[in-house]
Amino acid sequence: MSRPNILFLTTHDMGDWIGCYGHKTLKTPNLDIFASEGYRFTNSFCTSPVCTPSRGAQMTGRYPQTNGLMGLIQPPYQWRFNKGERHLSHLLSELGYHTVLFNHQHEASHEDTLGFQELRLVNCGPLELLTGERVSTAQATAQEFAEFLSERKHEDTPFYAQVGFFETHTNTPHGTKYDWSGAQPDDSQGVEIPAYMVDDENVRNRIAGLQGAVNYLDKAFGTIISALEKNHCKNNTIVIFTVDHGIELPHCKMELYDGGIKTGLLIGAPMYSNTTGEICERLVSNVDLVPTIFDLLNQPIPSFIEG
């Protein structure tokens, strides 16, 4: 079997708010179908309820205290990887992968330090949340990925594509609206109020906004999966979809409750298994993803990996 492609998709502040995790007021048909065809992890947790530390661990296989990313990359925090840290893109480049970043990352202030051979950012950078500029939509990112696949029709080199979505982050730090993409709030199936939150108009409006953003992101995810199918890549691509941490509401983001550190994790790897709809209840952390990828590729796990 030829070495599989790897597609790693992340989004902000969504916890496990996907329909297949029992959130009945969400419309996520594409993610739900993907879960029914692959693996859904029901006890997946992140290393930090804050964006940058979580993503740093996720993309290095090393804990924030080790890799240096113990806070956000943007001012006034300006945390950076320690000298010599190696991102998953560096590691996979050394294994012969063509590495590409699509749209958004939150591990470095400058994408060109992360080792990607190609940047297809669709005018989106990690600091635009603070500068007030609007980031590109998930659908534009999905279309860019589809174009990338079309360009590679005759390429034999496997790719590592890291795709970052922004829609499920509010419009400013500690903001109230989810309007980066123009997604509209959605309460057509009601809103889910967790038991640990006050049920009031403010919370209902925030969750309706989140639900609309999640619905919008799901459509972009569907476009990406369709592009894999159209370009005959789906059966030779490991697809990982996960989240940095919990939703931006009390007892969630920035808090060490389950609402802050429990995340959705869906993996499709059809080249390794004929089973569908597997549910894995094993306790896992996002620091485990890098060594798991190496294991799937039948490559020795580097000694410095901690996951």
Side-chain angles (χ1 to χ4, degrees):
M1 181 180 69
S2 61
R3 188 168 290 176
N5 304 309
I6 300 170
L7 172 59
F8 199 130
L9 305 105
T10 60
T11 190
H12 279 280
D13 303 12
M14 203 170 101
D16 67 355
W17 282 54
I18 308 170
C20 60
Y21 282 91
H23 299 282
K24 297 180 180 178
T25 59
L26 291 167
K27 299 172 185 172
T28 54
N30 295 299
L31 285 164
D32 295 344
I33 291 171
F34 178 69
S36 73
E37 295 175 344
Y39 296 84
R40 176 168 64 92
F41 292 78
T42 58
N43 285 297
S44 171
F45 291 82
C46 59
T47 52
S48 171
V50 180
C51 304
T52 295
S54 175
R55 290 165 180 260
Q58 178 176 271
M59 293 302 178
T60 63
R62 288 159 58 82
Y63 290 99
Q65 297 90 332
T66 306
N67 66 40
L69 287 185
M70 292 190 290
L72 297 171
I73 57 173
Q74 61 260 35
Y77 316 102
Q78 296 184 305
W79 288 86
R80 298 290 183 267
F81 277 129
N82 290 330
K83 186 177 180 180
E85 284 299 320
R86 300 168 76 193
H87 191 278
L88 181 58
S89 56
H90 292 115
L91 300 175
L92 291 178
S93 290
E94 293 173 1
L95 294 180
Y97 277 78
H98 179 71
T99 60
V100 193
L101 173 64
F102 290 86
N103 196 33
H104 178 66
Q105 56 81 29
H106 208 170
E107 302 100 73
S109 58
H110 299 286
E111 289 87 357
D112 57 7
T113 66
L114 294 178
F116 288 98
Q117 297 162 0
E118 187 176 354
L119 301 175
R120 300 180 75 135
L121 303 182
V122 202
N123 299 319
C124 174
L127 304 182
E128 294 188 14
L129 178 63
L130 294 183
T131 63
E133 299 177 30
R134 297 182 68 85
V135 300
S136 61
T137 69
Q139 192 59 44
T141 302
Q143 291 167 353
E144 184 72 15
F145 177 75
E147 180 64 26
F148 165 76
L149 289 184
S150 180
E151 294 169 4
R152 286 182 50 86
K153 284 182 178 178
H154 304 294
E155 291 284 343
D156 294 326
T157 305
F159 66 78
Y160 165 61
Q162 182 176 318
V163 179
F165 295 123
F166 210 89
E167 273 65 21
T168 47
H169 197 298
T170 55
N171 56 357
T172 60
H174 312 296
T176 60
K177 295 182 180 179
Y178 295 85
D179 61 357
W180 295 105
S181 62
Q184 297 300 307
D186 181 25
D187 60 2
S188 60
Q189 297 181 170
V191 293
E192 177 182 342
I193 309 296
Y196 48 81
M197 291 183 193
V198 174
D199 186 352
D200 63 15
E201 183 179 3
N202 175 55
V203 170
R204 285 183 168 269
N205 288 340
R206 288 281 291 275
I207 292 178
L210 171 64
Q211 291 182 169
V214 171
N215 298 350
Y216 182 93
L217 182 148
D218 179 78
K219 294 175 183 176
F221 179 82
T223 298
I224 285 175
I225 297 300
S226 294
L228 288 173
E229 294 171 343
K230 179 180 178 181
N231 290 278
H232 309 291
C233 296
K234 185 178 179 181
N235 289 334
N236 193 38
T237 302
I238 299 169
V239 180
I240 301 168
F241 178 90
T242 192
V243 184
D244 53 8
H245 51 67
I247 62 175
E248 191 175 330
L249 280 170
H251 294 276
C252 297
K253 180 178 180 178
M254 305 183 83
E255 301 282 354
L256 290 172
Y257 299 104
D258 277 11
I261 59 174
K262 191 172 186 181
T263 60
L265 174 60
L266 308 175
I267 298 180
M271 70 293 298
Y272 295 115
S273 175
N274 293 323
T275 61
T276 60
E278 288 286 312
I279 297 175
C280 180
E281 297 180 350
R282 179 181 299 176
L283 184 67
V284 298
S285 168
N286 64 356
V287 77
D288 299 328
L289 287 170
V290 168
T292 298
I293 289 170
F294 269 74
D295 210 16
L296 289 172
L297 297 179
N298 197 28
Q299 292 292 318
I301 297 170
S303 60
F304 52 81
I305 295 296
E306 298 175 328

